[in-house]
């Protein structure tokens, strides 16, 4: 039996770091939403005990460092499952980009193998397991739009944001999330107004959403990779309504409402940026239990 699962990328509409915790993680407050740029995973049961990862890109590990592998292994060990799984990943989300591609693959494996192994776990139970794999996996289990707190795993659902285009551009560098957090200095950073962002989403207020895009990690990534800051400035000049770096970067995204502006921005960026995507917000949560 085969199952196809979609694993969408996420963007952070806001990302605040409140303080460094005693366990080494940072206490966060983030507004996240999924966009229509997705990896596709084909899952299949194996009669033997193996978990096998197939992927066409050399940037994705095919062993136990892969988050999709970890997700299958976690379910298999926790529920004492005898059969194996073959996981084929069609990678469309840029890797190490701030778009939670690996976390979304892991979440898709949790949702899909829950069905194939007939475990009947709820989304809440899968999200709790996901937190053991990575901080963004819980959000990705639900998808849609949410306020994420704690290490990123405490999820409060939000309604879909007002509709618009999202133009994503990824410079040709990979950023280590751990290193960005390590170099973050909270003295003097401008914190996002998370409540204003949440209110804008509830009110369907596109301009309020644009006005409150904010990410404290920009201060670190811009310092070490000035290219990312330049890209953000270019996107503003090309006519974006608002621009922000996603997660720890280096992907920068622009919001625009009008098709003509989206085209102008997309064409302008394609001139010199290798990975550019114009997609829609997905906004809505995964519905199955
Ligand atoms: O949880 P995950 O493995 O995705 O996080 C990657 C790294 O990012 C962590 O090892 C940690 O250094 C940093 N991090 C953090 N605080 C968070 C989430 C991640 O410091 N809330």
């Amino acid at each position: 039996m085969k199952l196809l699962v979609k694993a969408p990328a996420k963007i952070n509409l806001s990302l605040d770091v409140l303080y460094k915790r005693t366990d080494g993680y940072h206490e966060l407050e983030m507004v996240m939403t999924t966009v229509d740029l997705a990896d596709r995973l084909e899952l299949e049961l194996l009669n033997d005990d193996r978990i096998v990862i197939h992927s066409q890109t050399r940037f994705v590990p095919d062993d136990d460092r892969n988050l999709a592998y970890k997700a299958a292994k976690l379910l298999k060990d926790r529920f004492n499952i005898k059969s194996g799984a073959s996981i084929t990943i069609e990678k469309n989300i840029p890797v190490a980009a701030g778009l939670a591609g690996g976390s979304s693959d892991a979440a898709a494996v949790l949702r899909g193998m829950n069905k194939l192994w007939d475990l009947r776990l709820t989304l809440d139970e899968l999200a709790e397991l996901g937190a053991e794999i990575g901080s963004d996996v819980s959000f990705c289990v639900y998808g849609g739009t949410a306020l994420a707190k704690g290490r990123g795993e405490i999820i409060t659902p939000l309604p879909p944001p007002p509709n618009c285009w999202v133009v994503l551009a990824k410079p040709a560098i990979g950023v280590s999330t751990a290193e960005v957090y390590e170099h973050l200095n909270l003295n003097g950073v401008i914190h996002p107004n998370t409540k204003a962002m949440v209110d804008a989403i509830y009110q369907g207020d596109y301009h309020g959403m644009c006005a409150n895009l904010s990410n404290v990690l920009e201060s670190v990534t811009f310092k070490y990779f000035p290219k990312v800051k330049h890209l953000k400035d270019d996107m503003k000049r090309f006519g974006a309504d608002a621009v922000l770096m996603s997660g720890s970067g280096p992907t920068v995204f622009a919001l625009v409402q009008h098709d003509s502006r989206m085209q102008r921005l997309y064409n302008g960026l394609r001139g010199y940026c290798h990975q550019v995507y114009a997609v829609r917000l997905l906004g809505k949560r995964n519905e199955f239990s």
Side-chain angles (χ1 to χ4, degrees), residues 24-28 103 133-136 150-152 177-179 181:
Y25 282 92
H26 291 77
E27 186 69 17
L28 306 179
S103 301
I133 303 165
S135 303
D136 284 342
R151 165 165 95 71
T177 304
E179 281 178 27
Y181 277 109

Side-chain angles (χ1 to χ4, degrees), residues 67-124:
L67 296 190
Y69 179 100
K70 287 186 183 172
K73 181 91 170 83
L74 179 64
L75 286 179
K76 193 166 152 46
D77 290 351
R78 195 66 51 92
F79 299 98
N80 201 14
I81 292 156
K82 301 294 171 221
S83 58
S86 158
I87 301 169
T88 305
I89 305 175
E90 180 195 310
K91 199 79 203 146
N92 301 311
I93 306 172
V95 177
L99 298 171
S103 301
S104 193
D105 292 349
V109 168
L110 290 177
R111 290 195 308 263
M113 293 314 298
N114 183 41
K115 280 193 185 156
L116 286 184
W117 279 328
D118 197 23
L119 298 173
R120 299 169 194 212
L121 299 169
T122 63
L123 277 191
D124 289 346

Side-chain angles (χ1 to χ4, degrees), residues 58-254:
R58 64 194 162 89
F59 300 114
V60 175
D62 60 3
D63 54 21
D64 59 3
R65 289 168 302 163
N66 188 306
L67 296 190
Y69 179 100
K70 287 186 183 172
K73 181 91 170 83
L74 179 64
L75 286 179
K76 193 166 152 46
D77 290 351
R78 195 66 51 92
F79 299 98
N80 201 14
I81 292 156
K82 301 294 171 221
S83 58
S86 158
I87 301 169
T88 305
I89 305 175
E90 180 195 310
K91 199 79 203 146
N92 301 311
I93 306 172
V95 177
L99 298 171
S103 301
S104 193
D105 292 349
V109 168
L110 290 177
R111 290 195 308 263
M113 293 314 298
N114 183 41
K115 280 193 185 156
L116 286 184
W117 279 328
D118 197 23
L119 298 173
R120 299 169 194 212
L121 299 169
T122 63
L123 277 191
D124 289 346
E125 287 167 328
L126 293 175
E128 206 177 314
L129 285 167
E132 296 181 31
I133 303 165
S135 303
D136 284 342
V137 179
S138 304
F139 166 76
C140 293
V141 165
Y142 301 108
T145 309
L147 176 65
K149 291 190 181 182
R151 165 165 95 71
E153 85 287 18
I154 304 170
I155 305 296
T156 308
L158 293 173
N163 207 2
C164 64
W165 286 103
V166 183
V167 180
L168 302 143
K170 183 194 167 276
I173 44 175
V175 168
S176 151
T177 304
E179 281 178 27
V180 170
Y181 277 109
E182 207 174 293
H183 290 105
L184 176 67
N185 177 359
L186 283 173
N187 295 325
V189 298
I190 299 168
H191 290 277
N193 186 342
T194 308
K195 185 179 178 305
M197 174 57 82
V198 170
D199 288 348
I201 289 173
Y202 268 108
Q203 286 156 17
D205 172 6
Y206 176 72
H207 297 290
M209 173 169 79
C210 287
N212 286 291
L213 287 188
S214 178
N215 177 352
V216 295
L217 299 182
E218 279 188 340
S219 61
V220 184
T221 307
F222 287 1
K223 184 169 158 207
Y224 290 93
F225 303 99
K227 223 189 209 181
V228 184
K229 165 86 170 67
H230 298 153
L231 180 62
K232 180 174 176 178
D233 294 339
D234 284 349
M235 288 168 94
K236 281 188 201 151
R237 271 195 297 110
F238 287 142
D241 296 332
V243 188
L244 192 72
M245 185 181 84
S246 186
S248 52
T251 302
V252 180
F253 67 90

